[in-house]
């Protein structure tokens, strides 16, 4: 019985031992929820940092020690919970397991915004300071800002990492432990490390790293140490905080003093071993160095000589480059000046009584001058490309005009080679784009000239096709194909190298600088395009340039309205062309114009068709488009036969397609009964304008003519004065001959000083100054600066052959705000001067003429619709004019209402487009009042000038109301 009693007592003691060891502190007021939690979760899994001394770490026996360990022991005593450390984990692994829910608590962590998203935190039980650790020799690091741009070593997944990630200017180098990060700084692998003071001090003392120092920063900010618990256990945080609240201040000081005050005896044995090894290596190096020092001295002397030679060579290269740039600029200036005289004189001769053939010869002179100018530009462009200073323009341009200019320039060379030229363009491709038209023209010119040069027989073809379309961006392919000598693969590899051609024999046989294709490739790449080459020796070559161009929506819409006009629907057309491909191309162009046409390659078939379409059973042909070389005996003889054929009751109007370089045929058109002659190859817009000319539907282009007449009339009436300061007598003559007929009064000065004297003498009569930059006595820059001292308002226009970088900027600094480059296009020159003078004078007079403007507006209000002028624009075709008025009336019914909505919503750009359309069509029908108001309102809308908009908008609405009423009254 006694034995049984003893056994029962022993069993109770054994079973009750854990409860006795971990009994809950009944003095703490536990909630039912907390008691339930402790019953259901008696074991808490801990994830610790094994090297986070003195806060938590494993000693040599593998026992969990540190400040956090002591606090956990107290928590266990007062809650009865068993704190179970998961062994064998690095800090990174412990942190990852905590994120995955495999660890319940992290005993020693700091708060960061990222951690607060994943864990719940207790009250802080310890505070520490963050420090920067650097080597003793490191200077200039005193704050966190001094770490900007540097790489900082830090423990991975530590609070210091989260803290430093707030500074994007600091680069981080992550280590698995604080000891590894500090060691990297000590051995020079890293420059700087960030950690807490207690851990850093413990590691440095225990490892004997004596070459390190601390840099304190943010002394006012202390970092707390917390217990972090999984998000779904908030009750455990409440339990922990209640226990921490029971720990006295004396107990906390005892724990901290136990660990922070410990002195660790450093182990210098590894250091001694390293010192011995390093000493031996140093002695060996010192002995070897004695040998190499002598050799290195000789090598240094040799390298110094080489360095001096390189410096001298660099200076010589820079001097040579400066001389080259100066030479190019001077060459350009010297050649451009006589070219300006050539083009100017050719233009003045064209203004005299010359035949059509003579006019074409003069055009060839101008084109040849432009070709010479393009060679100069090629050289300058190559120089700019080398220097990376070439810039692309982004302006609106017409693709057909670019093609026409290209053909006009290359036609002479093609005719000289006695080869054919074929042009095909997809009629569905838009015609108006934004881009650099001159550079695109330069690309096509170089490719076609290159193809022509190497083609002795056959033809050169230019084909333009649409590759793809993305919203308002069109990807176009320009294909230049020839039947010339072709190239081998080896020659193609070097094709785009500057100053290089296929081989030496090609250079001897065909000449050339070898710059053209190099410039083409550079320009195409600058436009974000691509160029491809395919060639076979003896068969020819094909160059494909793909460019992406943005469509000019507004101008393309205007162009399409012209081309798709109903005026051409009733024009029945017969096309006679010997080549089927050319015939189909012309047919596609006419189809795009909305015209019905019949096609044939046989002259006899064409005659039969003209005879049968006699009006009895079907309508006769209104227009015959005839290739000159198709009929035997020539086109003129064929036309004569048609005129004498009595079976053809109604003779069609005739457009004759003439061969390239046959200018003599143009003089015979009138006497041979031909209405219009068009040179081949056919460009869509040229063909369209020819048909317009024959059938006199000029309403489409009337607006532009009206504007130019308006400018010319203003100049003639105002008698503006222009001072031309130019030392070249020929250029003086050209400027005077161009400007005087338009209505300008001209004064001529031979140098800058004469220009100043003339301005002082005729200051009240001079409205603009044309200033050459390079003159004797006083150059243009100095003269402009002195004139600016006399007048800040007078517009000064630089007229110079300088095209080098910085000229425009220098002009601006001297008070010259306008710039015209020689050689200039005469018509564009006159238009530019006219626009500048008109704009400047108008601005001066605006403030003094408000009452006069009101009177003028009252007069304009009486001229709602000038029917006589509108009829004149329509070629005095009354039926056509009535149709146009009816279309105008129907199209503009809702304009005033839509415009009002756009202006109220401040959609000024959309409103400007609406007003622009009204302005374009109003000028064509003779509606001067609304044309003038629309012109002012469009400008105000484009500049968002709300005061002017508020004034002009009601005038526009009232004018539109009156105009529609006047049209309806008809």
């Amino acid at each position: 019985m006694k034995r049984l009693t003893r056994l029962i007592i022993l069993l109770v003691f054994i079973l009750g031992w854990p409860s006795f060891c971990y009994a809950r502190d009944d003095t703490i007021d536990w909630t039912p929820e907390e008691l339930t939690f402790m019953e259901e979760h008696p074991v808490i899994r801990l994830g610790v940092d094994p090297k986070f001394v003195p806060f938590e770490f494993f000693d040599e026996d593998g026992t969990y020690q540190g400040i956090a360990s002591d606090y956990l022991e107290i928590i266990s005593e007062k809650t009865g919970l068993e704190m179970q450390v998961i062994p064998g984990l690095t800090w990174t692994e412990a942190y990852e397991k905590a994120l995955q829910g495999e660890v319940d608590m992290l005993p020693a962590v700091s708060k960061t915004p990222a951690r607060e998203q994943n864990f719940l935190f207790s009250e802080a039980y310890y505070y520490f300071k963050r420090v920067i650790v650097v080597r003793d020799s490191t200077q200039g690091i005193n704050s966190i800002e001094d770490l900007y741009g540097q790489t900082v070593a830090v423990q991975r997944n530590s609070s210091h990492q989260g803290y430093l990630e707030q500074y994007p200017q600091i680069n981080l180098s992550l280590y698995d432990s604080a000891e590894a990060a500090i060691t990297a700084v000590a051995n020079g692998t890293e420059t700087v490390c960030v950690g807490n003071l207690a851990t850093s001090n413990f590691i440095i003392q225990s490892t004997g790293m004596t070459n390190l120092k601390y840099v304190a920063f943010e002394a006012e900010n202390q970092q707390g140490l917390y217990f972090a618990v999984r998000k779904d256990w908030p009750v455990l945080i409440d339990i922990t905080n209640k226990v921490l609240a029971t720990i006295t201040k004396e107990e906390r000081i005892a724990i901290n003093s136990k660990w922070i005050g410990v002195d660790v005896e450093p182990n210098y044995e590894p250091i001694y071993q390293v010192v011995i090894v390093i000493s031996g290596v140093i002695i060996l190096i010192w002995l070897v160095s004695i040998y190499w020092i002598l050799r290195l001295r000789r090598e240094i002397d040799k390298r110094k000589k080489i360095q001096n030679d390189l410096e001298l060579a660099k200076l010589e290269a820079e001097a040579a480059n400066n001389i080259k740039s100066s030479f190019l600029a001077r060459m350009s200036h010297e050649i451009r000046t006589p070219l300006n005289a050539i083009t100017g004189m050719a233009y003045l001769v064209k203004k005299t009584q010359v035949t059509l053939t003579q006019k074409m010869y003069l055009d060839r002179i101008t084109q040849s001058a432009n070709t010479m100018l393009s060679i100069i530009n090629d050289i300058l462009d190559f120089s700019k490309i080398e220097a990376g200073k070439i810039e692309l323009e982004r302006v609106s341009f017409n693709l057909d005009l670019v093609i026409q200019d290209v053909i006009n320039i290359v036609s002479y060379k093609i005719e000289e080679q006695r080869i054919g030229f074929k042009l095909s363009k997809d009629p569905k491709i838009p015609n108006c784009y934004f881009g650099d038209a001159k550079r695109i023209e330069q690309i096509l010119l170089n490719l076609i000239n290159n193809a022509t040069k190497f083609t002795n027989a056959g033809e050169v073809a230019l084909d333009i096709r649409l590759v793809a379309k993305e919203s308002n961006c069109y990807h176009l392919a320009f294909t230049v194909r020839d039947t010339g000598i072709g190239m081998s693969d080896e020659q193609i590899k070097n094709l785009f190298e500057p100053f290089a051609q296929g081989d030496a024999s090609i250079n001897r046989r065909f000449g050339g600088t070898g710059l053209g294709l190099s410039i083409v490739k550079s320009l195409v790449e600058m436009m974000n395009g691509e160029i491809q080459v395919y060639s076979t020796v003896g068969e020819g070559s094909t160059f494909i340039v793909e460019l992406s161009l943005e469509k000019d929506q507004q101008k393309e819409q205007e162009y399409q309205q012209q081309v798709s006009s109903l005026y051409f629907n009733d024009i029945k057309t017969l096309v006679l062309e010997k080549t089927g491909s050319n015939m189909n191309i012309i047919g596609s162009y006419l189809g795009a114009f909305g015209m019905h046409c019949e096609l044939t390659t046989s002259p006899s078939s064409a005659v039969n068709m003209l005879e049968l379409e006699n009006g009895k059973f079907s309508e006769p042909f209104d227009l015959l488009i005839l290739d000159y070389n198709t009929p035997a005996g020539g086109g003129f003889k064929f036309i004569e036969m048609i005129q004498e054929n009595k079976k053809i009751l109604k003779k069609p109007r005739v457009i004759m397609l003439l061969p390239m370089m046959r200018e003599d045929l143009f003089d015979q058109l009138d006497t041979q009964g031909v209405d219009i002659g068009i040179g081949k190859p056919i460009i869509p817009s040229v063909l369209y304008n020819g048909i317009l000319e024959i059938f006199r539907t000029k309403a489409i282009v009337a607006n532009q003519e009206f504007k130019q007449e308006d400018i010319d009339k203003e100049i003639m009436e105002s008698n503006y004065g222009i001072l031309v300061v130019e030392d070249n007598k020929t250029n003086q003559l050209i400027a005077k001959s161009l400007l005087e007929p338009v209505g300008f009064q001209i004064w001529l000065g031979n140098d800058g000083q004469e220009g100043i004297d003339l301005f002082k003498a005729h200051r009240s009569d001079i409205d603009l100054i044309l200033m050459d930059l390079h003159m004797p006595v006083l150059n243009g820059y100095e003269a402009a600066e002195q004139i600016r001292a006399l007048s800040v308002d007078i517009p000064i226009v630089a007229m110079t052959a300088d095209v080098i970088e910085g000229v425009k900027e220098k002009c601006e600094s001297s008070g010259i705000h306008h710039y015209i480059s020689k050689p200039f296009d005469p018509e564009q020159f006159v238009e530019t001067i006219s626009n500048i003078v008109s704009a400047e004078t108008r601005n001066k007079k605006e403030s003094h003429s408000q009452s006069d403007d009101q009177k003028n507006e009252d007069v304009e209000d009486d001229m709602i619709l000038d029917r006589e002028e509108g009829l004149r624009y329509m070629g005095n075709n009354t039926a056509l004019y009535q149709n146009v008025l009816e279309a105008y009336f129907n199209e503009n019914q809702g304009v005033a209402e839509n415009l009002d909505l756009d202006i109220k919503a401040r959609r000024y750009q959309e409103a400007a487009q609406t007003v622009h359309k009204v302005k374009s069509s109003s000028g064509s029908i003779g509606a001067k009042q609304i044309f003038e108001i629309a012109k002012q309102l469009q400008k105000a809308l484009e500049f968002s000038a709300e005061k002017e908009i508020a004034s002009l908008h009601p005038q526009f609405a009232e004018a539109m109301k009156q105009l529609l009423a006047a049209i309806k009254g008809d």
Side-chain angles (χ1 to χ4, degrees):
M1 186 66 182
K2 289 181 180 180
R3 289 182 179 178
L4 180 60
T5 303
R6 290 173 183 173
L7 183 61
I8 292 172
I9 293 172
L10 180 61
L11 184 61
V12 170
F13 181 82
I14 293 172
L15 293 174
W17 174 255
S19 299
F20 174 78
C21 293
Y22 298 102
R24 281 190 291 272
D25 188 347
D26 295 330
T27 62
I28 299 176
D29 187 16
W30 304 109
T31 65
E33 184 181 6
E34 292 166 348
L35 291 170
T36 302
F37 179 88
M38 287 185 282
E39 291 293 339
E40 293 177 352
H41 305 285
V43 178
I44 306 299
R45 297 170 298 178
L46 303 179
V48 303
D49 186 346
K51 296 183 179 181
F52 191 26
V53 289
F55 302 108
E56 60 176 0
F57 60 96
F58 291 103
D59 62 15
E60 295 177 355
D61 300 326
T63 304
Y64 179 57
Q65 298 283 353
I67 294 174
S69 173
D70 289 354
Y71 277 91
L72 286 171
E73 187 175 348
I74 295 173
I75 293 172
S76 294
E77 290 175 357
K78 296 194 177 188
T79 61
L81 296 174
E82 180 183 354
M83 300 297 174
Q84 185 181 85
V85 177
I86 300 177
L89 299 179
T90 65
W91 168 242
T92 301
E93 292 170 344
Y95 189 86
E96 290 298 325
K97 285 186 176 291
L99 291 176
Q100 296 167 9
E102 298 177 18
V103 167
D104 304 322
M105 178 186 285
L106 299 174
V109 294
S110 296
K111 280 186 182 179
T112 67
R115 289 175 176 177
E116 287 184 292
Q117 295 179 7
N118 299 300
F119 303 104
L120 300 173
F121 286 82
S122 69
E123 297 294 332
Y125 62 89
Y126 181 84
Y127 290 91
F128 62 87
K129 292 184 179 180
R130 190 175 276 124
V131 294
I132 299 172
V133 181
V134 295
R135 290 189 297 278
D136 289 333
S137 59
T138 302
Q139 301 295 327
I141 296 180
N142 299 301
S143 65
I144 193 69
E145 289 78 15
D146 295 330
L147 302 183
Y148 290 176
Q150 297 202 43
T151 299
V152 177
V154 67
Q155 183 181 9
R156 182 180 284 105
N157 291 329
S158 66
S159 63
H160 311 299
Q161 177 185 350
Y163 169 78
L164 293 174
E165 286 176 346
Q166 300 176 31
Y167 298 91
Q169 306 94 329
I170 300 176
N171 303 314
L172 302 185
S173 180
L174 303 180
Y175 289 81
D176 289 333
S177 67
E179 182 177 349
I182 294 173
T183 303
V185 175
N187 62 29
T189 304
E190 303 286 356
T191 304
V192 61
C193 168
V194 171
N196 71 71
L197 177 59
T199 301
S200 301
N201 183 59
F202 188 95
I203 292 172
I204 290 172
Q205 288 190 27
S206 63
T207 56
M209 289 183 282
T210 59
N211 63 334
L212 299 177
K213 66 179 180 179
Y214 308 117
V215 177
F217 68 104
E218 296 183 349
E220 70 281 5
N221 296 330
Q222 294 196 53
Q223 306 302 314
L225 213 58
Y226 305 80
F227 293 100
V229 175
R230 49 195 287 181
K231 274 274 189 177
D232 56 343
W233 282 7
V235 178
L236 183 56
I237 286 295
D238 296 336
I239 293 170
T240 304
N241 285 336
K242 285 185 177 181
V243 174
L244 291 175
T246 65
I247 300 175
T248 65
K249 183 177 181 182
E250 289 75 13
E251 289 176 314
R252 292 176 184 265
I253 293 174
I255 293 173
N256 295 345
S257 300
K258 174 183 176 183
W259 296 104
I260 301 301
V262 65
D263 289 329
V264 179
E265 182 68 27
N267 180 12
Y268 293 109
E269 185 66 27
I271 298 175
Y272 293 151
Q273 294 177 358
V274 171
V275 168
I276 293 172
V277 173
I278 292 175
S279 299
V281 172
I282 290 174
I283 294 172
L284 179 62
I285 293 173
W286 179 76
L287 293 174
V288 174
S289 298
I290 294 175
Y291 167 75
W292 284 104
I293 284 174
L294 298 175
R295 293 194 61 178
L296 286 175
R297 284 179 178 174
R298 289 196 296 268
E299 186 68 23
I300 289 171
D301 292 338
K302 182 179 178 181
R303 289 182 179 273
K304 283 183 177 179
K305 185 177 183 303
I306 294 173
Q307 184 67 30
N308 292 334
D309 292 341
L310 288 175
E311 290 290 340
L312 181 61
K314 180 184 176 183
L315 293 174
E316 291 176 350
E318 290 175 350
N321 190 54
N322 292 333
I323 292 172
K324 182 190 77 171
S325 299
S326 177
F327 169 74
L328 288 174
R330 191 63 187 171
M331 178 197 72
S332 170
H333 184 276
E334 294 300 329
I335 297 178
R336 285 171 182 269
T337 299
L339 279 180
N340 187 59
I342 293 170
T343 55
M345 287 300 182
Y347 177 81
L348 293 174
V349 173
K350 281 166 61 177
K351 291 295 185 181
T352 63
Q353 296 296 323
V354 294
T355 65
L356 186 58
T357 301
Q358 289 172 330
K359 181 177 180 295
M360 290 188 173
Y361 289 155
L362 290 169
D363 287 339
R364 297 300 182 213
I365 292 174
T366 303
Q367 289 165 10
S368 298
N370 289 334
T371 302
M372 188 172 183
L373 181 62
S374 70
I375 294 173
I376 300 171
N377 289 336
D378 273 355
I379 298 172
L380 292 175
D381 283 346
F382 178 73
S383 179
K384 288 180 180 179
I385 289 170
E386 274 190 321
K389 294 181 179 180
I390 196 166
E391 295 181 358
L392 295 177
E393 291 184 337
R394 187 183 181 276
V395 296
S396 179
F397 69 94
N398 185 305
L399 184 58
D400 271 1
L401 294 182
V402 172
I403 298 170
Q404 186 175 355
D405 289 342
V406 169
I407 291 172
N408 287 340
I409 294 172
V410 302
S411 59
Y412 176 79
K413 185 68 176 177
I414 290 173
E415 183 65 22
E416 187 181 61
Q417 292 283 90
R418 298 188 179 277
I419 57 176
F421 183 78
K422 182 188 293 183
L423 168 67
S424 58
K425 177 192 170 201
D426 187 349
K428 297 179 182 179
I429 292 178
N431 215 35
C432 300
Y433 299 94
F434 289 108
D436 195 327
K438 287 297 180 184
R439 297 301 181 189
I440 295 174
E441 178 181 319
Q442 187 177 2
I443 290 169
L444 296 178
L445 273 175
N446 276 324
L447 291 177
I448 296 175
N449 275 330
N450 193 68
T452 304
K453 180 167 65 173
F454 296 113
T455 304
N456 294 321
E459 67 177 14
V460 173
L462 170 62
D463 179 74
I464 305 171
R465 287 287 176 266
L466 178 65
V467 177
K469 175 180 178 292
E470 292 178 300
S471 184
N472 208 35
C473 182
Y474 287 74
H475 303 280
L476 305 183
F478 299 83
T479 303
V480 177
R481 186 179 62 257
D482 65 66
T483 57
I485 63 175
M487 293 176 289
S488 65
D489 292 341
E490 189 64 30
Q491 290 171 333
I492 292 176
K493 289 180 182 177
N494 301 321
L495 192 60
F496 297 108
E497 294 296 324
F499 304 106
Q501 297 201 355
D503 56 41
S505 63
I506 288 178
N507 189 43
R508 288 195 300 271
R509 290 164 57 196
F510 299 98
T513 62
L515 281 177
L517 292 180
S518 175
I519 292 173
V520 165
K521 189 173 189 299
S522 298
L523 291 177
V524 169
E525 289 175 350
M526 288 181 65
M527 295 181 184
N528 296 320
E530 184 179 352
I531 183 168
Q532 299 174 342
V533 185
Y534 304 94
S535 185
T536 302
V537 175
E539 296 183 11
S541 303
T542 299
F543 288 79
I544 302 175
V545 173
E546 293 188 6
L547 297 176
S548 299
L549 300 174
E550 179 187 351
K551 182 175 73 172
D552 185 339
Q553 196 76 32
Q554 180 176 323
K555 290 192 177 180
E556 180 63 23
Q557 187 174 359
E558 295 173 4
Y559 176 78
Q560 290 300 330
Q561 286 176 353
Q562 295 176 8
V563 173
S564 60
S565 171
L566 297 177
Y567 305 136
F568 286 172
N569 282 5
D570 297 329
I571 300 175
K572 191 174 181 181
T573 306
L574 174 62
V575 178
L576 174 58
E577 164 66 60
K578 64 180 178 180
T579 306
S581 59
N582 288 342
M583 179 181 66
N584 292 330
I585 290 172
I586 296 171
S588 67
Y589 292 163
L590 296 176
F593 301 158
M595 299 173 64
H596 171 68
C597 63
E598 300 288 343
L599 309 173
T600 181
T601 59
S602 169
S604 58
S605 175
V607 173
N608 291 335
M609 294 171 73
L610 290 170
E611 290 176 349
L612 292 174
E613 307 289 334
N614 54 15
K616 293 181 180 179
F617 303 103
S618 60
E619 292 296 323
F621 286 100
D622 301 296
L623 176 65
L624 170 63
I625 298 178
L626 165 69
D627 175 51
Y628 177 82
N629 289 326
T630 297
F636 293 147
K637 187 174 181 181
F638 184 79
I639 295 300
E640 183 181 354
M641 181 180 64
I642 289 177
Q643 298 294 343
E644 295 174 354
N645 191 331
K646 296 181 179 181
K647 294 181 181 180
I648 304 174
L649 300 180
K650 180 185 176 182
K651 303 299 188 290
R653 308 295 291 272
V654 179
I655 292 179
M656 184 168 289
L657 309 180
L658 302 175
M660 297 175 69
M661 298 303 295
R662 286 298 305 272
E663 289 86 353
D664 57 301
L665 297 177
F666 282 89
D667 286 339
Q668 305 176 46
L669 296 178
D670 292 337
T671 59
Q672 298 294 335
V674 178
D675 296 280
I676 292 289
I678 297 177
K680 297 179 76 173
I682 305 302
I683 299 172
S685 59
V686 176
L687 178 62
Y688 177 82
N689 290 332
I691 300 172
L692 269 181
E693 181 68 22
I694 290 177
F695 294 96
R696 304 185 64 81
T697 51
K698 296 183 179 178
I700 298 171
V701 294
N703 180 48
Q704 294 178 352
E705 295 174 358
F706 179 85
K707 288 197 297 184
Q708 187 59 46
E709 290 173 2
D710 187 48
I711 293 174
D712 294 345
K713 182 179 179 182
E714 179 187 351
I715 292 172
M716 293 295 289
E717 292 176 352
S718 301
N719 193 29
Y720 293 124
I722 294 183
L723 170 60
V724 179
V725 186
E726 165 69 69
D727 63 327
N728 187 292
K729 297 295 184 183
T730 303
N731 287 336
Q732 286 184 0
L733 174 62
I734 292 172
K736 185 176 181 181
S737 301
L738 290 173
L739 296 173
E740 277 189 340
V742 182
F744 290 109
Q745 184 180 359
I746 305 298
W747 287 269
L748 298 176
N750 296 310
D751 55 59
Q753 188 58 54
E754 283 191 24
I756 295 171
D757 296 339
L758 285 169
F759 180 72
K760 290 179 179 178
H762 304 281
R763 180 172 178 176
S764 60
D765 299 321
I766 294 174
D767 298 288
L768 181 142
I769 300 174
L770 272 173
M771 181 77 71
D772 186 29
L773 298 181
H774 298 283
M775 295 178 292
V777 184
L778 202 66
N779 65 39
Y781 300 113
E782 297 167 337
E785 291 172 359
Q786 293 190 31
I787 290 173
R788 275 283 168 256
L790 301 173
S791 172
V792 296
D793 299 325
I794 186 73
I796 305 177
V797 182
M799 185 174 62
T800 180
D802 282 346
V803 292
I804 59 175
E805 197 80 16
V807 171
K808 289 186 179 181
E809 291 76 6
K810 191 174 180 180
C811 287
E812 288 286 343
S813 65
S814 299
I816 304 173
H817 304 307
H818 304 278
Y819 188 95
I820 296 177
S821 179
K822 300 176 188 175
F824 47 73
D825 177 81
E827 293 182 357
Q828 187 177 0
F829 170 75
V830 174
E831 183 180 355
T832 301
I833 298 302
S834 302
N835 289 335
I836 294 173
V837 172
S838 300
E840 292 287 342
T841 307
R842 195 179 300 115
N843 292 337
K844 291 179 183 177
K845 294 180 179 178
E846 276 181 356
S847 59
H848 304 291
S849 59
Q850 294 297 327
S851 59
D852 293 339
D853 288 345
Q854 186 61 47
K855 293 177 182 178
N856 291 336
E857 288 175 7
D858 294 339
V859 173
E860 290 171 1
D861 287 342
D862 296 333
M863 298 180 62
I864 298 170
L865 181 63
D866 190 338
R867 292 171 178 79
E868 182 178 346
E869 184 172 289
L871 270 172
R872 186 168 70 252
Y873 289 144
M874 302 296 164
N876 293 319
N877 188 331
T878 304
L880 174 61
Y881 184 54
Q882 289 301 324
N883 289 337
V884 172
L885 286 178
E886 182 179 351
Y888 184 95
F889 181 84
N890 295 331
E891 183 180 4
N892 293 289
Q893 284 295 314
V895 163
E897 181 179 353
N898 294 335
L899 181 63
D900 186 59
L901 292 174
D902 286 340
I903 290 178
K904 285 181 178 178
R906 297 178 181 271
R907 296 191 295 266
Y908 293 144
Q909 293 306 315
E910 296 178 18
Q913 293 180 6
T914 301
V915 175
H916 175 76
K917 293 177 184 177
V918 172
K919 181 189 72 173
S920 300
S921 54
S922 299
S924 305
I925 63 175
K928 288 186 176 181
Q929 176 194 8
I930 198 168
F931 175 84
E932 289 296 334
I933 296 173
K935 185 165 62 173
Q936 298 176 46
L937 179 56
Q938 180 186 346
K939 184 177 180 181
L941 288 167
E942 288 174 346
F943 289 95
S944 301
E946 296 190 350
K947 185 177 180 181
E948 288 78 1
I949 294 171
S951 173
L952 293 169
H953 178 209
Q955 298 179 36
F956 179 89
E958 180 63 26
M960 177 60 74
K961 179 180 177 182
Q962 294 176 0
L963 177 58
L964 294 178
I967 295 174
K968 187 176 182 181
D970 290 347

